[in-house]
Structures are given as structure tokens and as C-alpha cells.
């Protein structure tokens, strides 16, 4: 029998002693131990077939169902390796399985779906022996967190647009932060003070009340704005409220919310929704605060090359605003930068190095970039870099959004890249300008023969933007193009695209 014995990778956020302990623990859990592992044929290079954000959660869990607990937990993550939680998908799963990490709500891109699946997996798992290891690792050693100066968030969309996309600039001078195209930028944004004040009022408290969580004491208002995620209360908040609900109808309503029932009184509530809907349910404050997850930093694909903008980092941010449960809702970080952070003020930030989203080292290789919407961000950086390095390789960009007139963001810059020859080919897909929706993958299919020719010339393909719909459809289109123009059946085309990925010629930065 082949036995997979997971090992913590070197970059996992643990000390040498912790790593040794965890590796021993995993070996033990797999039915061996580190000393005896040699007796079984150990596969050094473990494969993670579920490690693809294009798969649904259920499919990912099914692929991992016969693997050990750390791997099943890994399969529940969003598979982006974005680092937002302070881990990679693999190391977060391992840290939870070992008991070193208690929080099941850190995977921001995976959201509630992921935290629910993690809870279910942990509920089935045999109890983990208590461990002395503390999750010291919210941020991997070596991550430099610095205060960068915010220079502004300029609107990119024109009049009449349904979108509000901003070009955000930070001054990195003196911070020690540096980056390469393909990296992401992380930032710690506080929650909207109006929302915090509404929560404080609904709790019947005052902003200055001193509260404690994890041995940290601070005024309630500060804790709610900078430390805790009140926008995304996990199941444990609802459970805490159920525990303290005296009225059966409140318990029943909360139970329906917990189950995600179609007739639940609230859909995907934030903490304020819950407090307003259940005014007679007020758990003790320390218990309620303990049940909230920590506020996570937000990540943004870097939209600049440092060769073109020395000492600065640029981002392309879609501002999140929507209505839910009869209230206007605002994305924490995107509206903070767009509306509340004054230019000149500082913000805690870090650089999240890319895990496999890099321009080819060989400058002569052709590059194909597919990035509708905010997915354009890293490709602005790539094009600036290719221009600055005078890379002789050809560059092809697929871009699109709703309307050409108001959503063709960075139009002047893109046309300048065309004019100076940096951009060899540009294909645009404005989805709502015609009678029928046109998406980037339609343009890819139309240009299938040429795309196939570029692939044969060694092109590297990059996709950035929406993971759940766009990246999946683009992936399918790529396989269709390979099958049609490379005369392959479906299985061979799939294997061809997989090989592109394995050769690092097909890389995705999706969210
Ligand atoms: C590696 C990586 C790179 C990224 N790069 C970029 C980038 O370049 N540009 C960019 O704009 N974003 C990018 N993101 C996304 C970004 O990190 C944030 O998730 C995004 O800005 C929202 O953060 P927020 O704090 O403003 O909103 P949050 O407070 O986190 O709220 C967002 C949540 O609100 C809900 N929501 C949003 N819209 C709706 C709606 N219409 N209806 C109902 N619910 C809704 C969803 O649950 C969503 O998860 C990236 C993410 C990752 C992981
Ligand atoms: N949670 C939410 O409800 C919500 C809402 C908006 C955005 N977002 C997220 O925010 C991120 C970025 O959004 P964004 O504003 O930059 O861009 P976006 O919403 O992804 O839209 C950019 C362009 O992609 C098109 N598009 C929609 N579905 C597509 C598909 N299956 N294949 C290819 N193209 C498709 C859009 O067309 P049409 O819009 O005309 O279909 C639009 O022209 C994404 O992760 C997105 O999922 C979330």
C-alpha cells in the first residue's frame, strides 16, 4: 500500500521544534511514525488533485475523502494559496488538524462555505490530543508589516457605470517593503465606524467600555473596529446567541439561520442584523466577543511594476456595496480606501509574495493575459515590467467589463502599450454593449487558431479575476481551443492544459 505521510513544508509558519513535532504527529496519525516511516513506501511528492479553485467545494471534498484529516481540511479551503489567513491552504489544514490553530474562520475567500465544511470535518475527526503548540503563526515569520502612506483612490469608471473601481496608490518609501509583479499587497482596514457604533448601541453598551479577548484589553469600540470580524459572524456567534435565547421562537429563528434554511429570518446576517432581529438575546459581552472571528487583512493583486513606479505600489480595487436584509452593506476594506481613509494617512500593510504567478524568466517567451474587471490589475504590472525590461516576447491581453464607454479602465495606458509595441494583441469583451453577452472566453474561442499558435511558440498563459465563474469558464475555453486546434480528444486536451500548469505556463491569480 502506498502511504502518504504529509510533511510540513519549510515555509510553514512553525519553529524547527514545532515542525518536528507536527511531522511526527502527522506520521502517527497516518499509522506510522517518523522513525518507522521508511518501512512503508513513502511518496515524497504528494499530489493534491483538489488544489484548484475552479472545483466546487463538494468536488474538492470528494477528491480528498480518502486522505488523512489534514488533507480533507485542506480540500475545504478556497485553494488560492493567497496567504490572507497567514497560512497556505495546506498548512492551514495541517495546523487545524494538529490543534495548533483553533480558528476555523480564517479562509476569507472560502467564506462561510469553507468554515462550515471545516467544522463538519472537525466534528467527525477523532479528538486531537491537546498540544502545547500555540498558533504563533498568524503571520509567517519574515512577513514585514509596515505603515505605508495612502496617496489616494482615484475613480476609474466613467459616468453611467454600475461599477466603482478605484486606482489606489501607496507610498512605500522608508517602509522596507518591496515587491515583484505578480505579488499581492495586504492591508489591515478598520470596520466602518458607523457600523461599529450601531453595534455598540444594539449591545446596549458604550464605546469606551473596556473589554478583554485573548488577554488583550481595549475599549469596545476599538475591539469592534480593528480586531474582530463583525461583518461575517461565524456559526459560533449564532450558537452563542442560541445558548442565551430565553424565548423558543428566538431559538428556532437562530437555528434556521444556523442551518441556512430557506425560511430563515435572515440571510447571511452580519452581527448588527442578528442583534437587531433578536433584541431580547444578549449573551454576556465577553462570551459574544470570544465567539467572533478575528478581522483578516484584505489582499489585492499589485497593479504596478516597481521599475515604472519606484517607491510606490498601485492597486485596482472594486468597491463592494450591496443591500442585504434591508440594510445597505459595505465592504470593509474597499469602502475604507474609497471613502474613509484620507490621503496622507498611514495604513498597516504587507507584501504577499506570489505562489506561482510570475512572468517567465526568459524574456523572449510570449505572454497571454486574461483579466476582465479588476483582473486587469496584475497585467498592468506585467505590461509595465515587459516594457521596462524591453522584453522581446510578444504580449496579448484579453480584457472586458460591462460597457466600453464607462468600464474600459486604464484605456489610455492600454492604448499606449499598443502604440509603443509592448502590447502585440488586444481583445476586448464588453459584456453588456450588445444584445448578447460577450465574455473574454468568447474572444479566446474566436482567436483559437492564433492562441494555439502562441502556445506552440511557448506562450505562458495567465488568468486573473473572478474565481467562481470567469476562471472556470476560461479554463474550459482553453481546453476546447487545445482540443479543436491541436486535434486532441477531451482527455488529451485536459492533460495538455494540466501539463501547461505543471510547467508553470498556465498560472492563475483568482479570487
Ligand atoms: C489573492 C487575491 C487577490 C485579490 N485581488 C483583488 C484585486 O486586485 N482587486 C479587488 O478589487 N479585489 C481583489 N481581491 C478581493 C479582495 O481581497 C477583497 O475580498 C475585496 O476587496 C472585498 O473586500 P472588502 O473588505 O471591501 O469587502 P468585505 O467586507 O470582505 O465584503 C465582501 C463580501 O461581501 C459579500 N458581497 C460582495 N458583493 C456582494 C453582493 N453584490 N451581494 C451580496 N454579497 C456580496 C461577499 O460575501 C463578499 O465576500 C483579491 C483577493 C485575493 C484573495
Ligand atoms: N459576491 C458578489 O455578489 C460579487 C459581485 C460582483 C463582483 N464580485 C467579485 O468581485 C471580483 C471582481 O469583480 P469585478 O467587478 O472586477 O469583475 P466581474 O464582476 O468579474 O466582471 C467583469 C466582467 O466579467 C464578466 N463576466 C461575468 N461572468 C463571467 C464569466 N462567467 N466568464 C467571463 N466573464 C464573466 C462580467 O460580465 P457581466 O457582469 O455582464 O455578466 C464583466 O463584463 C470577483 O471576484 C467577483 O466575483 C462579487
Amino acid at each position: 500500500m502506498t502511504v502518504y505521510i504529509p510533511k510540513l513544508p519549510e515555509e510553514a509558519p512553525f519553529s524547527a521544534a514545532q515542525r518536528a513535532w507536527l511531522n511526527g504527529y502527522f506520521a502517527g496519525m497516518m499509522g506510522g511514525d517518523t522513525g518507522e516511516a521508511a518501512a512503508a513506501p513513502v511518496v515524497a511528492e504528494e499530489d493534491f488533485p483538489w488544489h484548484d479553485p475552479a472545483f466546487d467545494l463538494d468536488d474538492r471534498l470528494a477528491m480528498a475523502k480518502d486522505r488523512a484529516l489534514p488533507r480533507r481540511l485542506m480540500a475545504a479551503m478556497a485553494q488560492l494559496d493567497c496567504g490572507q489567513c497567514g497560512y497556505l491552504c495546506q498548512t492551514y489544514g495541517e495546523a487545524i488538524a494538529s490543534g495548533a490553530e483553533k480558528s476555523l474562520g480564517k479562509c476569507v475567500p472560502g467564506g462561510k462555505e469553507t468554515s462550515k465544511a471545516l467544522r463538519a470535518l472537525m466534528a467527525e475527526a477523532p479528538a486531537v490530543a491537546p498540544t502545547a503548540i500555540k498558533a504563533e503563526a498568524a503571520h509567517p515569520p519574515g512577513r514585514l508589516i509596515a505603515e505605508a502612506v495612502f496617496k489616494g483612490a482615484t475613480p476609474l469608471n466613467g459616468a453611467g457605470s454600475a461599477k466603482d473601481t478605484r486606482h489606489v496608490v501607496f507610498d512605500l518609501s522608508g517602509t522596507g517593503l518591496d515587491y515583484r509583479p505578480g505579488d499581492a499587497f495586504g492591508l489591515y482596514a478598520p470596520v466602518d465606524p458607523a457600523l461599529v457604533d450601531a453595534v455598540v448601541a444594539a449591545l446596549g453598551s458604550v464605546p469606551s467600555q473596556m473589554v478583554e479577548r485573548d488577554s488583550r484589553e481595549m475599549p469596545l469600540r476599538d475591539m469592534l473596529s480593528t480586531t474582530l470580524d463583525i461583518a461575517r459572524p461565524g456559526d459560533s456567534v449564532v450558537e452563542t446567541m442560541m445558548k442565551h435565547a430565553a424565548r423558543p421562537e428566538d431559538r428556532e429563528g437562530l437555528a434556521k439561520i444556523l442551518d441556512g434554511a430557506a425560511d430563515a429570518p435572515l440571510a447571511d446576517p452580519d452581527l448588527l442584523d442578528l442583534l437587531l432581529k433578536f433584541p431580547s438575546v444578549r449573551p454576556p459581552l465577553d462570551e459574544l466577543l470570544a465567539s467572533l472571528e478575528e478581522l483578516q487583512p484584505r489582499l489585492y493583486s499589485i497593479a504596478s511594476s516597481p521599475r515604472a513606479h519606484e517607491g510606490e505600489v498601485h492597486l485596482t480595487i472594486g468597491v463592494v456595496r450591496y443591500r442585504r436584509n434591508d440594510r445597505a452593506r459595505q465592504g470593509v476594506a474597499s469602502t475604507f480606501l474609497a471613502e474613509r481613509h484620507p490621503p496622507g494617512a498611514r495604513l498597516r500593510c504587507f507584501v504577499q509574495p506570489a505562489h506561482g504567478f510570475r512572468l517567465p524568466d526568459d524574456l523572449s517567451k510570449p505572454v497571454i493575459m486574461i483579466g476582465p474587471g479588476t483582473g486587469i490589475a496584475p497585467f498592468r504590472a506585467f505590461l509595465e515590467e515587459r516594457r521596462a525590461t524591453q522584453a522581446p516576447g510578444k504580449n496579448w491581453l484579453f480584457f472586458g467589463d460591462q460597457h466600453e464607454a464607462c468600464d474600459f479602465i486604464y484605456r489610455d495606458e492600454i492604448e499606449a502599450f499598443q502604440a509603443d509595441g509592448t502590447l502585440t494583441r488586444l481583445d476586448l469583451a464588453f459584456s453588456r454593449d450588445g444584445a448578447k453577452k460577450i465574455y473574454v472566453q468568447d474572444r479566446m474561442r474566436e482567436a483559437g487558431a492564433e492562441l494555439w499558435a502562441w502556445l506552440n511558440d511557448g506562450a505562458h498563459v495567465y488568468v486573473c479575476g473572478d474565481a467562481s465563474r470567469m476562471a472556470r469558464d476560461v479554463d474550459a475555453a482553453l481546453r476546447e481551443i487545445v482540443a479543436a486546434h491541436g486535434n486532441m480528444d477531451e482527455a488529451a486536451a485536459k492533460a495538455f492544459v494540466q501539463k501547461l500548469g505543471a510547467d508553470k505556463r498556465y498560472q492563475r491569480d483568482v479570487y
Side-chain angles (χ1 to χ4, degrees), residues 212-228:
E212 195 184 310
R213 188 182 127 127
D214 296 339
S215 316
R216 274 183 298 174
E217 209 191 358
M218 63 179 83
L220 176 59
R221 189 175 205 263
D222 294 356
M223 188 167 284
L224 294 179
S225 65
T226 59
T227 314
L228 300 179

Side-chain angles (χ1 to χ4, degrees), residues 147 168 170 186 195 271 304 329 401 409 453 472-473 482 486 501 509:
E147 290 205 329
V168 169
F170 282 94
L195 178 61
L271 182 60
S304 51
R329 304 277 286 264
D401 212 318
I409 61 175
R472 186 185 309 213
D473 293 350
V482 167
D509 172 23

Side-chain angles (χ1 to χ4, degrees), residues 195-207 220 224 272 275-276 282:
L195 178 61
V196 171
D197 289 344
V199 168
V200 172
L203 286 168
S205 189
V206 287
L220 176 59
L224 294 179
L272 183 60
L275 294 172
L276 295 177
R282 289 294 177 268

Side-chain angles (χ1 to χ4, degrees), residues 80 82 84 108-109 184 231-232 268 298-301 316-318 320-324 330-335 374 377 509-511:
L80 299 180
C82 63
Q84 203 161 2
V108 175
R232 267 183 289 236
D268 225 345
R298 301 295 193 264
L299 285 182
Y300 295 96
S301 312
T316 310
I317 298 189
V320 171
R321 299 187 188 97
Y322 58 99
R323 284 193 77 78
R324 184 180 285 165
Q330 307 200 322
V332 172
S334 56
T335 61
T374 51
D509 172 23
V510 295
Y511 41 90

Side-chain angles (χ1 to χ4, degrees), residues 163 165 316-320 322 324 371-376 399-403 407 409 429-432 437-442 465-474 510-511:
K163 298 281 188 89
T165 317
T316 310
I317 298 189
V319 184
V320 171
Y322 58 99
R324 184 180 285 165
T374 51
I376 186 75
F399 171 72
D401 212 318
Q402 294 182 359
H403 300 289
D407 300 319
I409 61 175
F430 290 101
S431 52
R432 304 192 189 189
K437 284 220 176 185
I438 298 288
Y439 287 154
V440 282
Q441 61 271 25
D442 300 314
D466 172 57
S468 59
R469 299 155 294 153
M470 182 278 294
R472 186 185 309 213
D473 293 350
V474 163
V510 295
Y511 41 90

Side-chain angles (χ1 to χ4, degrees), residues 303-445:
S304 51
S305 159
R307 295 179 204 266
H309 306 278
E310 206 190 323
E312 286 184 350
V313 68
H314 298 191
L315 313 171
T316 310
I317 298 189
V319 184
V320 171
R321 299 187 188 97
Y322 58 99
R323 284 193 77 78
R324 184 180 285 165
N325 296 325
D326 290 329
R327 278 183 33 229
R329 304 277 286 264
Q330 307 200 322
V332 172
S334 56
T335 61
F336 174 71
L337 295 173
E339 297 170 8
R340 296 188 293 281
H341 202 44
R346 290 180 178 272
L347 191 64
R348 289 170 69 230
C349 305
F350 59 91
V351 170
Q352 181 70 38
H355 284 276
F357 200 76
R358 288 275 185 242
L359 278 167
D361 290 333
D362 178 348
L363 301 185
S364 70
K365 294 285 181 206
V367 164
I368 301 172
M369 297 162 280
I370 303 153
T374 51
I376 186 75
F379 303 139
R380 179 178 183 266
F382 279 15
L383 288 166
E384 288 184 348
E385 181 80 1
R386 297 278 274 187
R387 177 194 271 158
T389 54
Q390 298 184 341
K394 298 185 290 181
N395 301 301
W396 185 350
L397 175 68
F398 290 88
F399 171 72
D401 212 318
Q402 294 182 359
H403 300 289
E404 178 169 5
C406 50
D407 300 319
F408 190 173
I409 61 175
Y410 299 120
R411 181 179 197 142
D412 293 350
E413 293 186 17
I414 289 171
E415 287 175 353
F417 284 126
Q418 273 186 302
D420 73 10
T422 307
L423 192 52
T424 320
R425 180 166 176 164
L426 173 67
D427 282 73
L428 298 167
F430 290 101
S431 52
R432 304 192 189 189
D433 277 348
K436 185 173 150 278
K437 284 220 176 185
I438 298 288
Y439 287 154
V440 282
Q441 61 271 25
D442 300 314
R443 299 296 186 219
M444 288 168 65
R445 286 196 188 89

Side-chain angles (χ1 to χ4, degrees), residues 38-213:
V42 174
V43 177
E45 277 298 311
E46 193 184 351
D47 65 323
F48 304 128
W50 56 82
H51 193 48
D52 181 338
F55 290 126
D56 285 333
L57 176 71
D58 289 347
D59 293 340
R60 300 200 303 269
L61 293 175
M63 286 180 214
K65 75 175 179 3
D66 296 325
R67 299 290 183 92
L69 179 64
R71 295 299 178 255
R72 283 181 278 134
L73 293 166
M74 175 191 175
M77 310 302 174
Q79 312 304 317
L80 299 180
D81 275 344
C82 63
Q84 203 161 2
C85 59
Y87 298 94
L88 302 177
C89 300
Q90 179 185 339
T91 54
Y92 186 22
E94 289 164 352
I96 294 171
S98 74
E101 173 59 70
K102 299 281 178 247
S103 171
L104 306 183
K106 288 187 169 221
C107 179
V108 175
K112 258 200 149 135
E113 211 188 20
T114 290
S115 60
K116 262 194 180 347
L118 294 176
R119 281 163 71 89
L121 288 167
M122 288 306 282
E124 286 166 13
V128 174
T131 161
I133 296 179
K134 212 170 146 25
E136 67 174 41
H139 302 295
R143 177 186 277 179
L144 171 66
I145 300 178
E147 290 205 329
V149 174
F150 174 64
K151 294 184 77 173
T154 316
L156 289 169
N157 302 92
S161 176
K163 298 281 188 89
D164 181 2
T165 317
R166 303 294 181 107
H167 184 67
V168 169
V169 179
F170 282 94
D171 183 350
L172 299 183
S173 345
T175 61
L177 295 176
D178 59 10
Y179 65 91
R180 291 167 60 195
D183 290 344
F185 196 65
L187 47 91
Y188 292 85
V191 176
D192 180 6
L195 178 61
V196 171
D197 289 344
V199 168
V200 172
L203 286 168
S205 189
V206 287
S208 59
Q209 179 173 349
M210 294 305 285
V211 287
E212 195 184 310
R213 188 182 127 127

